[in-house]
Structure formats: C-alpha cells, structure tokens
Amino acid sequence: MMEQHNPTHVVLVSSPGLGHIIPMIELAKRFVLQHNFKATVLAVTSQTSTAEKQILNSALTPSLCHVIEIPSPDITDLVQPNDAVLTHLSVIMRQAKPAVKSILSKATPRPSALIVDPFCHESIPLARELNILSHVYLASHAWALALIVYSPVLDQQIEGQYVDQKEPLKIPGCNPVRPEDVFDPMLDRNDSQYQEYLKLAKGILQSDGVLVNTWEELQHETLEAFREGGLLSEALSMKIPVYAVGPLVREPESDTSSVTQSLLTWLDEQPSESVVYVSFGSGGMLSCEQMRELAWGLELSERRFVWVVRAPTENAADAAFFTTGSDAGDEVAKYLPEGFLSRTRGLGLLVPGWAQQMSILRHGSVGGFVSHCGWGSTLESLTNGVPLVAWPLYAEQRMNATLLAEELGLAVRPKVLPTKKVVGREEIARMVREVIPDDQSLTSNSVRERVKEMQQSALNALSEGGSSYVELSAVAKSIEG
Ligand code: UDP
C-alpha cells in the first residue's frame, strides 16, 4: 500500500474587519495552490457586519482553505464605546486567545506554522509553546511596516505629539513620514490605542518573519532597508526576514443578486474606461457636507460613476468598521443635493453600503477609482490597471495616499487631507477628469500609463519565478523545515 503523507498544515488567524479577513483567506489559498499545503483560517468575526457574513459564507462553502469562525468575545466591560477601532481589535483578540489556543493545539495534522495579522500578535507565544514557526502577515506595504516597527524608537526619540512636529519623522533607509500622515493610533499619544499600537509594533518583531502585501519593483528601496545589512534592519537589530509576497488580491465573487447583475449589465453598456468607481472601503464614512460636495463634484466632472454610498456621519471616519454593509439603501437619498438623482439618471449608479468591488474594478468600462486608499482596495485597483483619486480617511491611509500620489505617481490627490477640510466640488471634478480625461486617445495620461506599467509589474512578480512567487516559496520552505 502507498504510504499517505500528511500535507504541511498552516493555521492563519485573522482579526475582525474585511480588510483583515479577505487578505488572510487569500494568503491561505496561495499556500494551498502554490505549495499543496493544508490551510486553516481562524477568522475572529465582528458578527455585526452583513458584508463580513457574506464573505465568510462564501469562504465556508467547501473551498481551497478551511475557515473556522470564532465569534468575537463579549468585551463590553473591557472597553468604552468611544474607544478607537484599534483598542477594540486589540481587546477582542486578547480575549479570543484561549479559543485560538484550543483550536490550534487540537488541529490535525499538527500545524507547522501559525500566521497571524498584526492585531493577533499576542498569539505568537502560542506557536512557541507548540514549538512551531510564527509569522505575521501585514496586508499592507513595506513603508507602513517600517513605520510600525520603528515606532517604539520614535516613541523614545520624540517628545510631544507627532502631529505637532515641524520636521518629517525619519526612518532609517526609508522615506520620512510627514507628521500629518502618521497612523491613526499615533495621532494622539495620550489615547489608549497608542499603547496598544506600541505593543503591537514590538509584538510583530517577536515572530519568525513578516509577510507584506507588496512586491519588489513597487518598493525596492524600502524592502532593501529591511534586508540583512539594510539601514532599518541594522537600526532595529532585526533578526527576522521580511517577505514581499504581493499583490495578493481576491478573484471577483460570483453574485447573482439583482443589484449586482443590473450593475454589471449597465457597465457593459458604457464606453471603455469611462466610469469612475467611488468607494471608501469597509469602514469609511463621510460627513453630510462632504457627501453633498462629492455628489456635486461627480456631477460637475461629467463622468459616469458607480458610487457605493453610506448615510453620512459626523463621527469618526471609520464609523462603519464593525457594521459594514448593514445600511438601508433608502436612507441615503435624503442627504444628496436636490435633483441629483434625476439629473444623473443613466449617467451614474448608487449602490447602498457594499458592492462587489472586484467585479466592478475588473470591468473594462471602469477607468478611475475614488478610493479611501485602504491597501486592499489600492491593490485591487492597480492589478486591474485603474488609476486612483486618493481620498484617505483612517488607519494608515494617509501614508498610502502619499506613497501612491507623490512617490509612485499612481494616483492624484486633493491638496488638503479630506479629514482636515471638506474637499470642494471643483477640486473633485478636476481630479476625476484627470484620471478619466475627455478623450483618452488624444491625451497623454501619465497616471494611467504608470498604473498600466505597475499592473504588468504585479503580474510578473506573481508569476512563476517572479519576485513574490519566489518569496512565498521561501516562506513555504522555511515552514516545511
Ligand atoms: N470591499 C468590497 N465592497 C465594498 C467595499 C469594500 O468588496 O463596497 C472590499 C474591497 O474589495 C477590499 C476590502 O473590502 O477587499 C476592503 O479592504 P481595504 O484594505 O481596501 O480597506 P479597509 O476596508 O480595510 O479600510
């Protein structure tokens, strides 16, 4: 009888939030497809987001990886309702640790590695207890990782608030970070989330390696800083490797709902690269005034549009983080300028709350993306050759916008951060026209050209022998031992 070999088993743990769960499932699939591993994803879920439920349902049906849902523990006595998202996530993942431990220790075949997102860093010691490898998967880019892991040093070096600094924050071997671009948890050093953030930054470096969702050609210099002898690696005495394995993005989901089908039929009828897609990710919200200016701006731009709309909020810009996709569509119309819906009939579509983003971005009629610059959305745009209008709102998105618009030339952006000042209709119209000019055949559009080059570069990185393919193979090899 032939001897049956158990496949190498990796267990991946994700914190709540679509921007965390989706990339973790994608990474799991890569291990299965590229390396014949068994992959189990432990998804800690918010259970308050309709979109999260949908994504998990499609992942729970027999597929490439095995997904186990861990409902968020009740943390009402441990946090204040107004605590930041990062505080909530950190506490949820701390409380979920026993559940992760129990599943991990019983998993069969015995796992060879644990891979966690940064919010699950406190589970890294569980891997040590089981004598298996642990990796962190940051589904963001290398410059973001650099700021995170260097933050404990900045914490020692800099006095007062980061946002009050006159000079950019220096990170060895990397571009400096403008004070206004720091991550949300760095905006106020007195907030409890800042302490959680510092723990997370130190926790990441306790792992055996960090995977980032970027690729060599996109961020060569920053990745160099992390390599042996690199300036950042030296400054932090880093002992662990950083692997650029991206861009890992998902395939469009099959969705037979009438909303998606009529949207795709409408897109089929529009000219090539003529439609701007507008969406602010899983958590993004606009103020009432900003929402009206955006509507006016789209109308003034005279471009076709698909806009994923949410009722506005005057609270935090990430107010929808735990409830994504749960809005009632009819709520929204009353916040739009009078007559907007009738004037734009046939020219634009509004999708309430949540859309099949990958199906939209992949459609040939889409030529621009007004985006909050969540890294998942950014990569989905680039891999489909769609230039961005960068509209950062929360988390690390200000840094993403700077990277895209100022360093890489893949996006245009407003002059002032949208979280500081309402972006006016004229500026919105100008930016939309810049990514979708009147007659694309007559206009040389450098942003678009550059995006197309990066689309090809991404494809090369992922194909057999490409930089990201090779890096993921190195991770797999280290896990196989
Ligand atoms: N997404 C989607 N439909 C929407 C909004 C978002 O499918 O209407 C998906 C998007 O394709 C991406 C993820 O949700 O995969 C959002 O992740 P990202 O990193 O862009 O931002 P976050 O929402 O975490 O801020």
Side-chain angles (χ1 to χ4, degrees), residues 18-19 22 250 277 279 281-283 308 353-355 357 372 374-377 380 394 397:
L18 275 310
I22 293 172
R250 63 199 169 121
Y277 170 57
S279 171
S282 56
V308 184
W354 182 257
Q357 178 157 306
H372 72 317
W375 195 243
S377 297
E380 289 163 6
Y394 57 94
Q397 293 153 17

